């Protein structure tokens, strides 16, 4: 299951998350656990890699919720490694 991307915007140099973003991520996480499926969480990845501001600075993210082509490539690389790790753990 894919969790939503970081739903944030940057206004006046401050990263702002939309009010229901965390509720939506939590609900998806609970459903993934109930169904026994693996969840890939965009927001968690971005936060673990320095946060939205860092991704903006490294030109991995646009100012809205979208990433740049380089950002999506980085995300794919991280998710691929996580997915391979999960598959190997099931062997």
């Amino acid at each position: 299951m894919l969790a939503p991307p970081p739903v944030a915007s940057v206004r006046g140099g401050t990263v702002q998350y939309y009010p229901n973003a965390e509720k939506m991520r939590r609900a998806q996480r609970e459903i993934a656990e109930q169904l026994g499926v693996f969840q890939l969480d965009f927001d968690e990845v971005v936060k673990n890699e320095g946060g939205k501001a860092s991704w903006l600075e490294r030109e991995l993210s646009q100012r809205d919720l979208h990433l740049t082509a380089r950002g999506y490539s980085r995300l794919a690389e991280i998710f691929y490694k996580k997915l391979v790790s999960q598959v190997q753990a099931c062997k």
Side-chain angles (χ1 to χ4, degrees):
M1 179 181 294
L2 292 174
V7 281
S9 62
V10 178
R11 293 190 181 122
T14 303
V15 176
Q16 298 178 347
Y17 284 83
Y18 300 119
N20 293 320
E22 184 55 35
K23 289 178 187 176
M24 185 170 55
R25 287 179 58 241
R26 194 173 328 130
Q28 280 192 329
R29 190 169 33 252
E30 290 172 9
I31 291 168
E33 288 175 12
Q34 289 172 5
L35 296 175
V37 298
F38 181 65
Q39 182 189 33
L40 299 174
D41 190 333
F42 289 82
D43 196 45
E44 180 181 305
V45 169
V46 171
K47 285 180 180 176
N48 288 341
E49 292 238 328
K52 180 77 169 178
S54 173
W55 279 55
L56 282 166
E57 187 176 296
R58 295 183 299 164
E59 298 181 353
L60 298 173
S61 179
Q62 297 179 28
R63 291 203 161 284
D64 57 14
L65 64 93
H66 298 286
L67 303 178
T68 62
R70 287 182 53 222
Y72 283 114
S73 291
R74 178 67 184 134
L75 201 58
E77 178 184 320
I78 292 166
F79 286 165
Y80 174 78
K81 289 177 182 177
K82 286 187 175 197
L83 189 56
V84 167
S85 174
Q86 288 293 315
V87 169
Q88 290 175 344
C90 292
K91 290 182 179 182

